[in-house]
Short mmCIF file of all heavy atoms in Angstrom, two decimals:
data_model
loop_
_atom_site.label_atom_id
_atom_site.label_comp_id
_atom_site.label_asym_id
_atom_site.label_seq_id
_atom_site.Cartn_x
_atom_site.Cartn_y
_atom_site.Cartn_z
N ARG L 289 -15.57 -19.79 8.08
CA ARG L 289 -16.76 -19.29 8.78
C ARG L 289 -16.59 -17.84 9.20
O ARG L 289 -17.53 -17.07 9.16
CB ARG L 289 -17.05 -20.13 10.04
CG ARG L 289 -17.28 -21.59 9.78
CD ARG L 289 -18.40 -21.85 8.81
NE ARG L 289 -19.73 -21.39 9.23
CZ ARG L 289 -20.83 -21.58 8.52
NH1 ARG L 289 -20.77 -22.21 7.36
NH2 ARG L 289 -21.98 -21.14 8.95
N THR L 290 -15.37 -17.46 9.66
CA THR L 290 -15.22 -16.13 10.23
C THR L 290 -14.84 -15.06 9.21
O THR L 290 -15.07 -13.89 9.43
CB THR L 290 -14.17 -16.14 11.35
OG1 THR L 290 -12.95 -16.68 10.83
CG2 THR L 290 -14.61 -16.99 12.52
N ARG L 291 -14.20 -15.43 8.10
CA ARG L 291 -13.78 -14.42 7.12
C ARG L 291 -14.19 -14.80 5.70
O ARG L 291 -13.38 -14.74 4.77
CB ARG L 291 -12.24 -14.26 7.14
CG ARG L 291 -11.65 -13.78 8.44
CD ARG L 291 -11.90 -12.28 8.66
NE ARG L 291 -11.24 -11.80 9.85
CZ ARG L 291 -11.76 -11.87 11.07
NH1 ARG L 291 -12.97 -12.41 11.25
NH2 ARG L 291 -11.11 -11.41 12.12
N PRO L 292 -15.46 -15.19 5.49
CA PRO L 292 -15.84 -15.66 4.15
C PRO L 292 -15.61 -14.63 3.05
O PRO L 292 -15.15 -14.96 1.97
CB PRO L 292 -17.32 -16.01 4.30
CG PRO L 292 -17.76 -15.31 5.54
CD PRO L 292 -16.59 -15.22 6.43
N ASP L 293 -15.91 -13.34 3.33
CA ASP L 293 -15.79 -12.32 2.28
C ASP L 293 -14.37 -12.22 1.76
O ASP L 293 -14.12 -12.14 0.56
CB ASP L 293 -16.24 -10.96 2.80
CG ASP L 293 -17.73 -10.90 3.01
OD1 ASP L 293 -18.37 -11.95 2.82
OD2 ASP L 293 -18.24 -9.83 3.38
N GLN L 294 -13.42 -12.19 2.71
CA GLN L 294 -12.02 -12.07 2.31
C GLN L 294 -11.59 -13.29 1.48
O GLN L 294 -10.88 -13.16 0.49
CB GLN L 294 -11.14 -11.94 3.57
CG GLN L 294 -9.69 -11.68 3.27
CD GLN L 294 -9.48 -10.33 2.60
OE1 GLN L 294 -9.65 -9.28 3.21
NE2 GLN L 294 -9.15 -10.35 1.32
N LEU L 295 -12.03 -14.47 1.89
CA LEU L 295 -11.67 -15.68 1.14
C LEU L 295 -12.27 -15.64 -0.26
O LEU L 295 -11.59 -15.96 -1.24
CB LEU L 295 -12.14 -16.93 1.87
CG LEU L 295 -11.47 -17.22 3.21
CD1 LEU L 295 -11.85 -18.62 3.69
CD2 LEU L 295 -9.97 -17.12 3.12
N VAL L 296 -13.53 -15.23 -0.34
CA VAL L 296 -14.18 -15.16 -1.66
C VAL L 296 -13.37 -14.23 -2.57
O VAL L 296 -13.10 -14.55 -3.73
CB VAL L 296 -15.63 -14.66 -1.52
CG1 VAL L 296 -16.20 -14.26 -2.86
CG2 VAL L 296 -16.49 -15.72 -0.87
N SER L 297 -12.95 -13.10 -2.01
CA SER L 297 -12.21 -12.13 -2.82
C SER L 297 -10.87 -12.72 -3.29
O SER L 297 -10.52 -12.63 -4.46
CB SER L 297 -12.04 -10.85 -2.00
OG SER L 297 -10.84 -10.22 -2.29
N TRP L 298 -10.12 -13.33 -2.37
CA TRP L 298 -8.80 -13.84 -2.75
C TRP L 298 -8.90 -15.05 -3.67
O TRP L 298 -8.14 -15.18 -4.63
CB TRP L 298 -7.98 -14.17 -1.51
CG TRP L 298 -7.39 -12.96 -0.86
CD1 TRP L 298 -7.21 -11.74 -1.44
CD2 TRP L 298 -6.89 -12.85 0.48
NE1 TRP L 298 -6.63 -10.88 -0.54
CE2 TRP L 298 -6.43 -11.52 0.64
CE3 TRP L 298 -6.79 -13.73 1.55
CZ2 TRP L 298 -5.85 -11.06 1.83
CZ3 TRP L 298 -6.22 -13.28 2.74
CH2 TRP L 298 -5.77 -11.96 2.88
N ILE L 299 -9.84 -15.96 -3.36
CA ILE L 299 -9.97 -17.16 -4.21
C ILE L 299 -10.41 -16.72 -5.60
O ILE L 299 -9.86 -17.15 -6.62
CB ILE L 299 -10.99 -18.14 -3.60
CG1 ILE L 299 -10.48 -18.70 -2.27
CG2 ILE L 299 -11.27 -19.29 -4.57
CD1 ILE L 299 -11.53 -19.45 -1.46
N GLY L 300 -11.40 -15.81 -5.64
CA GLY L 300 -11.90 -15.34 -6.93
C GLY L 300 -10.80 -14.70 -7.76
O GLY L 300 -10.65 -14.99 -8.95
N GLU L 301 -10.01 -13.87 -7.12
CA GLU L 301 -8.94 -13.16 -7.81
C GLU L 301 -7.90 -14.14 -8.36
O GLU L 301 -7.47 -14.06 -9.51
CB GLU L 301 -8.29 -12.21 -6.81
CG GLU L 301 -7.45 -11.11 -7.40
CD GLU L 301 -6.79 -10.31 -6.29
OE1 GLU L 301 -7.40 -10.15 -5.21
OE2 GLU L 301 -5.66 -9.87 -6.48
#
Side-chain angles (χ1 to χ4, degrees):
Chain L
R289 301 303 298 182
T290 55
R291 298 285 185 274
D293 289 4
Q294 185 65 70
L295 294 191
V296 166
S297 146
W298 281 341
I299 294 168
E301 197 184 327

